[in-house]
C-alpha cells in the first residue's frame, strides 16, 4: 500500500519495530524514526520531549477505541501535532500477522502556510511551546531567529506544494495573493542548506524547534532549498586543482621522456 503511493515525498512512522533504533524502515521509506550514529542533538531532544510521548499517548488513545468509534479520525490522529508536522503520512502498526499501514490524513504535508507566529526567548521555551502548539496554523520562533519584516500574524490563504524532490534539493510552488509565512517539513540545518525564491537567495530560519520557515511574497513563485555546503565547494576546488596538477605532471613527464629518447637517437 505505502510503496504504491506516488506522492513525491512523505514519511512513515514505524511502530512495529524499535522506532528510533531500527534502521530497516529507511531502506523502504523516508522515516520519522530510525537509527544513525550521528543523529542531530536537536532531533534527539524532539524525540525525548515530544515524539516518544505522542507515541505513548497514541497507543493509550487507540486502546480505548471500539470498532465503530470515529475517535481515530476525530481525536487521535489530529492530536499528534509533532508527528503531523513531520509529515508522517503513514503509521505502521504491529499485528499478529505482521504490520498494517494506517493512513494519516492529518499529516501537515511538505509545506504549509501558518496564521500565527509565536515568539519565545530561548530554545527551552521553544520546545516546551510545542506541547500546546497547533502546528497546522501556528509556528513558534525564537526571538533571535526572527527574520527581518517578519510579522505576528498572516492570513495563511493560498497554496504551497512540493514539485520536485532530491536528497540535496527540494522545489516548491507557492501561489498567494498576499505575503505569507511558510513552514517546511524538513530539518533546519544552516550549515549548507540555502533557500531561493525565483533563483534569488533568500533568508530562512528555524521554527518549531527543528523545522524550516521563511517569508513568501505574494504572487506565484518557485521556492528551492539546495544543499550547498562551503566545505563541498572548497573540496571540489582542491580536487580540481589537484587533478590539474597531476595532469600537467603526466604531460611534463611524457614530454621529458620523449625529449630524452630524441636526444638518445641523435
Amino acid at each position: 500500500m505505502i510503496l504504491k503511493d506516488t506522492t513525491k515525498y512523505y514519511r512513515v512512522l514505524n511502530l512495529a519495530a524499535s522506532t528510533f533504533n531500527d534502521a530497516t524502515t529507511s531502506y523502504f521509506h523516508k522515516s520519522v524514526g530510525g537509527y544513525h550514529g550521528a543523529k542531530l542533538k536537536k532531533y534527539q531532544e524532539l524525540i525525548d520531549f515530544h515524539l516518544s510521548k505522542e507515541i505513548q499517548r497514541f497507543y493509550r488513545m487507540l486502546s480505548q477505541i471500539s470498532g465503530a468509534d470515529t475517535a481515530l479520525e476525530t481525536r487521535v490522529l489530529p492530536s499528534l501535532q509533532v508527528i503531523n508536522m513531520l509529515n508522517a503520512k503513514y503509521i505502521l502498526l504491529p499485528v499478529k500477522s505482521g504490520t498494517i499501514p494506517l493512513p494519516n490524513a492529518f499529516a501537515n504535508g511538505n509545506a504549509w502556510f501558518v496564521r500565527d507566529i509565536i515568539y519565545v526567548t530561548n530554545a527551552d521555551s521553544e520546545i516546551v511551546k510545542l506541547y500546546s502548539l497547533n502546528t497546522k496554523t501556528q509556528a513558534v520562533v525564537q526571538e533571535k531567529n526572527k527574520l527581518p519584516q517578519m510579522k505576528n500574524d498572516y492570513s495563511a490563504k493560498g497554496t504551497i506544494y512540493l514539485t520536485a524532490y532530491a536528497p540535496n534539493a527540494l522545489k516548491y510552488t507557492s501561489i498567494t495573493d498576499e505575503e505569507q509565512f511558510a513552514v517546511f517539513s524538513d530539518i533546519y540545518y544552516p550549515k549548507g542548506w540555502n533557500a531561493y525564491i525565483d533563483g534569488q537567495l533568500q533568508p530562512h530560519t528555524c521554527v518549531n524547534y527543528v523545522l524550516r520557515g521563511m517569508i513568501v511574497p505574494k504572487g506565484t513563485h518557485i521556492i528551492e532549498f539546495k544543499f550547498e555546503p562551503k566545505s563541498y565547494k572548497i573540496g571540489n576546488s582542491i580536487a580540481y586543482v589537484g587533478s590539474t596538477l597531476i595532469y600537467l605532471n603526466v604531460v611534463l613527464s611524457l614530454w621529458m621522456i620523449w625529449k630524452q629518447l630524441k636526444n638518445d637517437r641523435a
Side-chain angles (χ1 to χ4, degrees), residues 49-243:
F49 274 79
H50 292 283
L51 292 176
S52 296
K53 294 178 181 179
E54 282 197 357
I55 290 170
Q56 291 173 7
R57 187 171 74 249
F58 171 75
Y59 272 126
R60 186 169 60 251
M61 296 176 74
L62 201 63
S63 67
Q64 299 169 356
I65 297 176
S66 61
D69 200 334
T70 60
L72 183 65
E73 290 78 19
T74 59
R75 290 192 296 109
V76 180
L77 293 176
S79 73
L80 306 177
Q81 292 292 336
V82 175
I83 289 173
N84 287 337
M85 82 175 190
L86 295 176
N87 196 23
K89 191 177 179 182
Y90 296 96
I91 301 174
L92 284 177
L93 298 175
V95 293
K96 290 182 179 180
S97 58
T99 62
I100 57 169
L102 172 66
N104 177 18
F106 294 90
N108 290 14
N110 303 115
W112 61 96
F113 293 134
V114 294
R115 289 200 302 265
D116 303 313
I117 310 296
I118 300 169
Y119 298 100
V120 294
T121 56
N122 54 46
D124 290 344
S125 300
E126 186 177 11
I127 197 169
V128 168
K129 185 61 185 176
L130 287 176
Y131 284 117
S132 59
L133 198 75
N134 182 337
T135 59
K136 282 184 171 59
T137 62
Q138 300 173 311
V140 58
V141 182
Q142 287 186 58
E143 289 283 356
K144 68 175 185 178
N145 294 329
K146 184 177 181 180
L147 295 172
Q149 311 303 319
M150 200 165 162
K151 299 184 294 186
N152 294 337
D153 53 81
Y154 297 83
S155 71
K157 294 179 180 178
T159 57
I160 182 168
Y161 53 92
L162 184 75
T163 58
Y165 167 81
N168 61 346
L170 299 99
K171 183 181 291 187
Y172 307 81
T173 294
S174 67
I175 305 171
T176 177
D177 292 332
E178 54 188 309
E179 183 181 89
Q180 303 292 352
F181 190 84
V183 176
F184 300 85
S185 186
D186 283 285
I187 301 300
Y188 175 75
Y189 189 75
K191 297 178 181 179
W193 280 100
N194 292 320
Y196 298 85
I197 297 180
D198 298 331
Q200 299 297 313
L201 184 66
Q202 298 293 333
H204 70 291
T205 192
C206 181
V207 304
N208 297 1
Y209 200 69
V210 294
L211 300 185
R212 307 170 188 173
M214 70 184 302
I215 298 169
V216 176
K218 69 177 182 179
T220 300
H221 300 282
I222 301 298
I223 301 170
E224 296 175 277
F225 283 92
K226 300 179 182 179
F227 190 58
E228 302 169 318
K230 291 181 180 179
S231 58
Y232 178 78
K233 291 184 177 180
I234 293 171
N236 266 357
S237 299
I238 293 173
Y240 177 78
V241 172
S243 298

